[in-house]
Amino acid sequence: MMAFENYPTVHILDHPLIKHKITKLRDKTTKTSEFKMLVKEISVLEGYEALRNAETQMVEIETPIEKTTQPVVKRKSLCFVPILRAGLGMADGMLDLLPGCTCGHIGLYRDEVTKKPVEYYCKLPADISEKDVYLVDPMLATGGSAIDAVAQLIKHGAKKITFICIIAAPEGVEAFVKKYPNIPLYIGALDRCLNENAYICPGLGDCGDRTFGTTNGTTEDRPII
Ligand code: PRP
Ligand code: URA
């Protein structure tokens, strides 16, 4: 296995707040409403790091004291792309950082038997080739979904892509960097391995189900009537 810590495009975020919130996210007793909020908060923290080199432009404003020219992020040059479904929660966090940014959407699910991604939706801005694209999905397991989503972005003309996930398995990171050695990859936590069902260990279970409350079990919020 590669030593990702020293791989130039792989950024494993080492921050106590991110670790703290990911631990709460993993906990099987964390309910849907809190789970969603945590995904959003972690995405804000990861987005803060991933957008460190975002382009800025100078704008003229007036403070209560005087006119001045100050930097703002060039929002028009950015595009956030969640992989459906679970990526939607992360896009919410990115949009908290920069409301009004353009979003594309890529719909993929893993076939239950083959574990290969199945494409079902793709809507991207026409001028994607001019944008810095931030592809978001909480889970990088085998890497199949992220690799397929990047291929779709490239097919539509995207030139500058960054991938942000919350939990990654070493197998997925290795597959991703072998396929895309120049695409930056931001990871909240690098876990131990995949199990026989290609789930991340220790992981957090099925992220889409936990985000949208489609799991059978005790983690659902009690409906308010
Ligand atoms: C999850 C997750 C990723 C994918 C990761 O989605 O959100 O998209 O699995 O696995 P991979 O790296 O092995 O491809 P899922 O397929 O469960 O779809 P969902 O979000 O619609 O539930
Ligand atoms: N998808 C998930 O939601 N969780 C995993 O552990 C692997 C793939």
Side-chain angles (χ1 to χ4, degrees):
M1 201 56 79
M2 299 163 78
F4 304 121
E5 289 80 356
N6 300 322
Y7 203 82
T9 53
V10 178
H11 306 272
I12 300 166
L13 299 173
D14 182 26
H15 192 290
L17 268 177
I18 295 181
K19 289 181 205 252
H20 174 83
K21 288 179 190 291
I22 293 179
T23 299
K24 290 173 81 179
L25 198 64
R26 295 181 189 278
D27 188 334
K28 70 176 187 183
T29 68
T30 298
K31 291 182 171 53
T32 306
S33 54
E34 194 188 358
F35 190 91
K36 246 187 232 130
M37 202 184 304
L38 285 163
V39 166
K40 195 165 154 179
E41 289 170 355
I42 294 162
S43 308
V44 168
L45 296 169
E46 290 199 57
Y48 174 80
E49 275 303 325
L51 285 157
R52 183 168 288 282
N53 298 316
E55 260 186 273
T56 56
Q57 68 187 89
M58 300 307 282
V59 295
E60 202 174 284
I61 56 156
E62 203 170 340
T63 75
I65 310 299
E66 61 182 18
K67 279 193 176 159
T68 174
T69 304
Q70 298 292 332
V72 290
V73 171
K74 263 192 187 174
R75 274 189 303 182
K76 277 194 176 160
S77 68
L78 303 176
C79 176
F80 303 141
V81 179
I83 300 179
L84 308 179
R85 295 175 294 169
L88 285 170
M90 291 190 75
D92 280 351
M94 300 297 284
L95 288 167
D96 269 5
L97 281 172
L98 289 167
C101 263
T102 305
C103 278
H105 293 87
I106 292 179
L108 289 176
Y109 69 87
R110 289 202 313 181
D111 179 272
E112 278 185 17
V113 178
T114 65
K115 309 300 176 199
K116 301 276 182 235
V118 180
E119 299 174 0
Y120 63 87
Y121 189 74
C122 182
K123 184 83 182 168
L124 299 168
D127 59 350
I128 196 157
S129 60
E130 289 150 36
K131 294 188 182 284
D132 285 357
V133 180
Y134 291 82
L135 178 68
V136 295
D137 188 330
M139 310 304 278
L140 181 70
T142 63
S145 303
I147 289 170
D148 187 288
V150 170
Q152 293 192 56
L153 290 171
I154 293 171
K155 198 173 86 187
H156 283 81
K159 295 193 178 70
K160 199 164 169 219
I161 302 167
T162 298
F163 180 62
I164 311 175
C165 64
I166 295 181
I167 298 182
E171 293 89 332
V173 182
E174 180 159 2
F176 189 91
V177 299
K178 276 193 174 151
K179 182 82 183 164
Y180 304 118
N182 300 317
I183 294 188
L185 177 54
Y186 286 81
I187 301 169
L190 181 64
D191 275 12
R192 197 176 68 250
C193 62
L194 295 176
N195 69 13
E196 62 284 5
N197 293 316
Y199 273 84
I200 302 175
C201 305
L204 54 72
D206 189 304
C207 196
D209 281 344
R210 294 196 64 188
T211 305
F212 294 105
T214 43
T215 342
N216 292 322
T218 55
T219 56
E220 311 300 310
D221 278 355
R222 192 180 288 271
I224 300 163
I225 356 175

